Amino acid sequence: MRVFSGIQPSGNLHLGNYLGAIVNFVKLQNNAECIYCVVDLHSITVWQDPSKLQKNIYEITAGFIASGLDPEKSIIFNQSKVKEHAELSWLLNCVARVGWLNRMTQFKEKAGKNKENMSVGLYTYPILMAADILAYKATHVPVGEDQKQHIELSRDIAQKFNIDFKDRIQQLYNKDEFFILPEPLISGPVPRVMSLRDGHKKMSSSEISDMTRINILDEADLIANKIKKAKTDSDSIPDNYELVNDRPELKNLLSIYAGVLGESPKKIIEDFSGKQFSHLKTSLTELLVERICPIGNEMKKIMSDKSYINNILNNGASKAREISEPVLVETKKIIGLS
Ligand code: TYM
């Protein structure tokens, strides 16, 4: 089992990243070889202020460490330090089909009506993601639900490569398949955390209003204010979790509560049943301040020690290159480039 996953340094590491992905990253590091990447090349598919990008790379790295990732157990690095990602991405650009990319819902959502004006990188972004995963022949990819379609695309690309070059793979390496088809692991405590202001939209770092999300670096007062102002409806809380399905904002607050606590939402609804939203909001604020603020405080401490972070990223990059470089060399041989 080899695990690969990544997070974009686009600022505002948030509760969705934590509950959808990072909690699972930490769990997996004790049972598998794990590679976690700060995907800085992905982040520049939309505008990033150059004077903030390094700080954002440090933020994600510090978030990894403060959440419990151990650089002795997991390989931690940033994508732009390992050139194999970009080079393999080009090779896979020539395997993936335009029709496949046209089906990617995330591009459609992000581009909206402004498709013509988006960077080409935003469009081909899932191919870079496939390169990230395939360069390590990762078997499992822990992600939130929003990334499922991208992992499926990575599988399609791996499979097409294996079929297109079947004879070469057989002849050179005496194998039927070269790339491994990666499995998505969508098993974080909350696979889809929703916006605090709209239970139909996912919580996202790119949403303009900061009130839609809890950032891991938020202070207690700000968390209290965001939860207080989170959208709700006027009914009280039912005793059966099935009844929250058509109440997305309630469902979201309950799943966040359960996810942070490490319990199932079905179990915790009993504690709040018959009560008003304000009761749930007060308890949720207390829980977030108790569990998330210490991670944020630790992140701030780590972020102030740049040489410590640089050390982790440099060591991680050289370990990552030891795995991805031979894969790229072999891929080029299979294609006939060397
Ligand atoms: P990114 O940076 O948008 O998000 C990082 C991780 O956090 C998860 N996530 C969420 N989970 C639950 N609820 C939410 N509201 C929420 N928002 C984000 C994401 O699913 C993801 O797991 N393309 C990826 C990064 C990437 C990658 C990779 C991932 C690049 N290469 C290779 C896996 C393997 C992305 O933009 O994630």
Side-chain angles (χ1 to χ4, degrees):
M1 186 172 177
R2 182 182 280 161
V3 168
F4 183 98
S5 198
I7 296 194
Q8 294 193 55
S10 33
N12 308 322
L13 184 70
H14 57 79
L15 204 55
N17 300 134
Y18 183 72
L19 294 175
I22 298 178
V23 170
N24 231 2
F25 293 1
V26 177
K27 263 199 207 149
L28 286 160
Q29 75 175 343
N30 293 319
N31 307 313
E33 182 184 6
C34 291
I35 305 161
Y36 297 122
C37 187
V38 182
V39 287
D40 45 12
L41 296 176
H42 275 102
S43 70
I44 61 167
T45 56
V46 295
W47 173 250
Q48 299 295 329
D49 181 342
S51 67
K52 294 195 182 132
L53 188 51
Q54 274 305 315
K55 183 188 141 277
N56 291 343
I57 294 170
Y58 290 148
E59 179 189 332
I60 303 295
T61 314
F64 282 166
I65 307 294
S67 305
L69 285 184
D70 176 353
E72 297 296 318
K73 288 185 186 163
S74 299
I75 298 178
I76 296 171
F77 70 107
N78 59 317
Q79 194 183 27
S80 62
K81 283 222 175 79
V82 179
K83 64 179 176 37
E84 280 69 20
H85 292 241
E87 196 172 345
L88 182 60
S89 175
W90 179 257
L91 303 179
L92 299 181
N93 259 280
C94 302
V95 175
R97 305 288 99 179
V98 172
W100 299 355
L101 281 184
N102 285 343
R103 285 197 282 276
M104 296 295 112
T105 54
Q106 187 164 304
F107 177 75
K108 288 183 202 163
E109 277 162 22
K110 284 200 176 167
K113 292 199 177 84
N114 209 10
K115 208 165 88 181
E116 301 290 313
N117 236 348
M118 292 290 128
S119 75
V120 176
L122 189 70
Y123 180 64
T124 58
Y125 156 136
I127 302 179
L128 177 59
M129 187 162 157
D132 296 340
I133 301 167
L134 301 186
Y136 298 89
K137 297 194 173 175
T139 57
H140 293 83
V141 187
V143 282
E145 208 171 73
D146 61 318
Q147 295 300 320
K148 186 165 178 246
Q149 195 186 31
H150 291 158
I151 315 288
E152 279 160 6
L153 182 85
S154 305
R155 293 172 63 87
D156 290 343
I157 294 175
Q159 191 170 30
K160 182 161 165 51
F161 183 93
N162 288 342
I163 293 170
D164 287 353
F165 296 101
K166 196 167 189 290
D167 295 344
R168 286 282 287 188
I169 295 167
Q170 188 56 255
Q171 186 191 337
L172 286 167
Y173 302 113
N174 201 20
K175 285 192 289 195
D176 290 334
E177 289 178 341
F178 179 69
F179 284 124
I180 289 172
L181 273 52
E183 297 277 346
L185 281 181
I186 305 176
S187 47
V190 190
R192 194 174 187 87
V193 178
M194 309 310 281
S195 156
L196 298 178
R197 289 306 182 94
D198 179 349
H200 296 285
K201 267 187 167 174
K202 71 169 182 181
M203 185 177 283
S204 157
S205 56
S206 56
E207 187 64 54
I208 296 166
S209 165
D210 194 52
M211 295 302 281
T212 58
R213 64 182 161 257
I214 302 289
N215 302 306
I216 308 299
L217 286 172
D218 284 348
E219 304 281 350
D221 290 355
L222 187 54
I223 293 181
N225 196 26
K226 286 178 175 178
I227 297 295
K228 193 169 153 209
K229 301 223 164 111
K231 189 176 169 199
T232 50
D233 55 49
S234 50
D235 282 349
S236 62
I237 300 172
D239 58 359
N240 183 345
Y241 193 63
E242 306 301 317
L243 298 174
V244 305
N245 277 335
D246 55 353
R247 296 174 65 188
E249 284 82 20
L250 171 60
K251 189 175 180 182
N252 191 37
L253 293 184
L254 284 171
S255 0
I256 293 176
Y257 189 95
V260 173
L261 200 61
E263 288 281 0
S264 90
K266 285 190 182 111
K267 197 164 168 235
I268 68 123
I269 198 167
E270 289 163 17
D271 299 340
F272 294 104
S273 123
K275 302 206 167 112
Q276 297 301 314
F277 263 102
S278 57
H279 185 76
L280 170 61
K281 284 184 166 184
T282 309
S283 302
L284 178 57
T285 301
E286 282 166 9
L287 183 68
L288 289 171
V289 169
E290 183 196 310
R291 303 283 173 100
I292 302 299
C293 286
I295 301 177
N297 291 338
E298 183 64 17
M299 272 174 78
K300 283 174 204 151
K301 245 193 259 162
I302 296 170
M303 281 166 78
S304 66
D305 191 348
K306 293 199 175 99
S307 70
Y308 172 68
I309 299 186
N310 282 332
N311 219 0
I312 290 173
L313 293 175
N314 288 334
N315 281 338
S318 56
K319 287 189 212 159
R321 211 172 302 118
E322 276 171 30
I323 305 174
S324 55
E325 198 183 350
V327 174
L328 179 68
V329 168
E330 290 177 353
T331 308
K332 287 168 89 172
K333 247 194 206 144
I334 291 169
I335 295 175
L337 291 168
S338 65

